[in-house]
Amino acid sequence: QVQLVESGGGLVQAGGSLRLSCAASGRTFSSYAMGWFRQAPGKEREFVGGISTSGSSTYYADSVKGRFTISRDNAKNTVYLQLNSLKPEDTAVYYCAARWGSYPPYSDTLYDYWGQGTQVTVSS
């Protein structure tokens, strides 16, 4: 069992930055690929990015590539999502998710555990 707790969301002006954290319980965090997803009001949840178990491979949606960066610290059981150059369309609830295995899938249905989400609001 893995419990995930996100933090770091908030209100920021367009062009600003935030860093989201996702802290995981358990001693097997390094065996889970991690993904970040987001869901805006009235829209489906979408893949933002993911990171492999070792942290050596990262993957991003085209809409955030070059602006967002995922990293992880397996010693701290934490994965991060750095959000830069934020736009109003980035406004959403952001979720982290864990999937047993090396690489993060793009489909949210393939993840084993989810956090409760953290709200990111970008004002214009």
Side-chain angles (χ1 to χ4, degrees):
Q1 189 81 2
V2 175
Q3 291 185 326
L4 303 174
V5 179
E6 300 99 334
S7 60
L11 173 63
V12 64
Q13 289 188 331
S17 297
L18 284 172
R19 188 173 85 152
L20 308 183
S21 299
C22 173
S25 65
R27 295 182 291 177
T28 58
F29 176 73
S30 60
S31 297
Y32 287 85
M34 299 298 295
W36 283 96
F37 291 78
R38 66 185 181 186
Q39 187 166 23
K43 295 188 177 181
E44 292 188 353
R45 187 160 55 189
E46 64 174 353
F47 177 81
V48 174
I51 189 166
S52 62
T53 49
S54 68
S56 60
S57 298
T58 53
Y59 309 85
Y60 299 96
D62 288 343
S63 59
V64 307
K65 202 171 293 183
R67 299 189 298 122
F68 292 6
T69 303
I70 296 173
S71 60
R72 67 189 295 162
D73 186 337
N74 286 340
K76 294 183 178 180
N77 281 13
T78 302
V79 62
Y80 305 97
L81 181 64
Q82 178 69 41
L83 295 72
N84 295 331
S85 303
L86 282 162
K87 305 175 181 180
E89 51 264 43
D90 294 317
T91 295
V93 177
Y94 284 71
Y95 300 90
C96 67
R99 154 87 171 179
W100 180 270
S102 298
Y103 297 99
Y106 285 71
S107 172
D108 61 353
T109 62
L110 296 178
Y111 284 81
D112 303 307
Y113 301 101
W114 290 84
Q116 83 290 348
T118 186
Q119 176 71 47
V120 171
T121 303
V122 185
S123 63
S124 57

